[in-house]
């Protein structure tokens, strides 16, 4: 059985006092709870990694970065490498989020480079794939996802077993329009079958998590679906009580 991963993507949010209150509330809420191998990951802005590393002492809570450089070191102003994230205690890093693909023109090739950089730094990449509303409506969803998946699978080759995939339909991110469980499960099952075609040994082990307007209300049924191995949570991860409820959903 694949264990579940719940990831908070704080994006450009948080500040010194909010972080402290959040970390204390989460640590308290998770104390003495049997999470059954479930991992909770908080991805704050990089400047707060050290602060959060000192606050999140529960053993089931891990830190993650929201992005990493496709370069290893050198004259790349503003970039953060995988090795630096590792130094600050990160176990995970989000790669190729649709906001970065759209705003920072990240290509599938860059996503592969970042994924490999994370793995070589000893960090687990959470690689995001997803389609826009127009692509879904015009019947291009599988073509778009297939391109993203196959670029990743061929680019990282036998390292695919060290990746977490995140299916995030772009039309569901920050919009309140969650994919239904049926829609999400259908895509997750299909993504797994695509992986199976190229790497049957890995497909059943690969965690595929869902993101896009996840809330306390829809988390339990999403987590029940056979091919949904966790959640990537944006907006709702900024509300400590709501996020705690999501972390505990279905336990
Ligand atoms: P959302 O964001 O939960 O606010 O839709 C999810 C994400 O972008 O990872």
């Amino acid at each position: 059985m694949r264990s579940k991963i719940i990831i908070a993507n704080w994006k450009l949010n948080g500040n010194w006092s909010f972080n402290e209150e959040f970390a204390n509330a989460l640590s308290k809420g998770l104390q003495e709870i049997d999470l059954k191998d479930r991992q909770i990951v908080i991805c704050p802005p990089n400047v707060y990694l050290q602060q959060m590393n000192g606050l999140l002492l529960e053993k089931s809570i891990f830190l993650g970065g929201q992005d990493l450089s496709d370069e290893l070191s050198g004259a790349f102003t503003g970039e953060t490498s995988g090795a630096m994230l590792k130094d600050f205690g990160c176990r995970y890093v989000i790669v190729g989020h649709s906001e970065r693909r759209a705003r920072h023109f990240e290509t599938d090739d860059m996503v592969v480079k970042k994924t490999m950089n994370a793995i070589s730094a000893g960090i687990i990449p959470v690689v995001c794939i997803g389609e826009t509303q127009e692509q879904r409506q015009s019947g291009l969803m599988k073509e778009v996802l297939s391109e993203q998946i196959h670029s990743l699978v061929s680019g990282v080759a036998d390292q695919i077993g060290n990746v977490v995939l995140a299916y995030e339909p772009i039309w569901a991110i920050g919009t309140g329009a969650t994919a239904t469980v049926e829609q999400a499960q259908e895509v997750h099952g299909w993504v797994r079958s695509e992986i199976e075609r190229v790497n049957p040994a890995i497909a059943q082990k690969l965690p595929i998590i869902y993101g896009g307007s996840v809330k306390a209300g829809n988390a339990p049924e999403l987590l029940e679906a056979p091919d949904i191995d966790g959640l990537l949570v944006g907006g709702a991860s900024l509300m400590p009580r709501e996020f705690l409820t999501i972390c505990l959903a279905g336990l």
Side-chain angles (χ1 to χ4, degrees):
M1 252 266 294
R2 297 176 298 269
S3 54
K4 308 278 188 202
I5 310 167
I6 313 286
I7 305 181
N9 177 11
W10 280 7
K11 310 189 181 187
L12 186 56
N13 295 291
N15 60 55
W16 202 261
S17 58
F18 167 86
N19 305 348
E20 190 168 341
E21 273 171 43
F22 182 99
N24 289 339
L26 190 65
S27 303
K28 201 165 156 223
L30 292 176
Q31 236 169 26
E32 287 166 34
I33 299 235
D34 179 8
L35 284 171
K36 303 188 180 132
D37 290 336
R38 186 172 289 196
Q39 297 189 19
I40 313 296
V41 184
I42 310 294
C43 302
N46 285 349
V47 290
Y48 296 124
L49 284 171
Q50 186 162 19
Q51 181 200 15
M52 294 298 281
N53 201 13
L55 291 168
L56 294 169
L57 300 174
E58 277 294 310
K59 62 176 185 332
S60 44
I61 313 179
F62 299 94
L63 265 188
Q66 296 178 11
D67 178 42
L68 82 167
S69 181
D70 58 341
E71 300 289 346
L72 294 175
S73 68
F76 304 103
T77 304
E79 300 277 288
T80 304
S81 71
M84 292 170 185
L85 293 176
K86 182 80 179 170
D87 269 350
F88 279 75
C90 288
R91 183 181 171 103
Y92 290 88
V93 62
I94 300 168
V95 178
H97 190 281
S98 60
E99 284 156 13
R100 294 209 59 89
R101 290 184 191 251
R103 286 181 60 94
H104 300 273
F105 310 107
E106 289 192 8
T107 61
D108 284 342
D109 287 346
M110 284 168 79
V111 168
V112 167
K113 276 181 86 183
K114 288 180 177 211
T115 304
M116 289 307 286
N117 284 357
I119 294 168
S120 58
I123 301 181
I124 302 165
V126 179
V127 182
C128 303
I129 58 171
E131 82 287 358
T132 63
Q133 182 74 288
E134 298 74 58
Q135 289 163 338
R136 177 175 269 256
Q137 277 167 352
S138 49
L140 292 172
M141 179 185 82
K142 287 191 176 166
E143 201 175 305
V144 170
L145 294 176
S146 182
E147 224 175 280
Q148 294 170 350
I149 294 166
H150 290 288
S151 150
L152 179 73
V153 169
S154 62
V156 308
D158 59 352
Q159 293 298 325
I160 191 68
N162 293 316
V163 168
V164 172
L165 266 186
Y167 170 56
E168 293 212 303
I170 296 167
W171 47 271
I173 296 178
T175 57
T178 331
T180 62
V181 180
E182 292 72 28
Q183 282 173 323
Q185 167 55 35
E186 192 198 332
V187 177
H188 281 234
W190 173 79
V191 170
R192 201 177 298 287
S193 68
E194 284 293 287
I195 305 278
E196 193 140 32
R197 288 204 293 137
V198 284
N199 197 331
I202 289 303
Q204 290 308 316
K205 295 185 202 143
L206 191 83
I208 308 174
I209 66 174
Y210 170 82
S213 294
V214 172
K215 301 176 219 60
N218 59 15
E221 46 173 3
L222 283 164
L223 287 172
E224 257 172 39
D227 286 297
I228 301 182
D229 305 314
L231 304 168
L232 181 49
V233 190
S237 76
L238 294 163
M239 295 173 264
R241 199 175 298 174
E242 175 98 4
F243 185 64
L244 181 64
T245 309
I246 294 172
C247 292
L248 302 177
L251 278 175

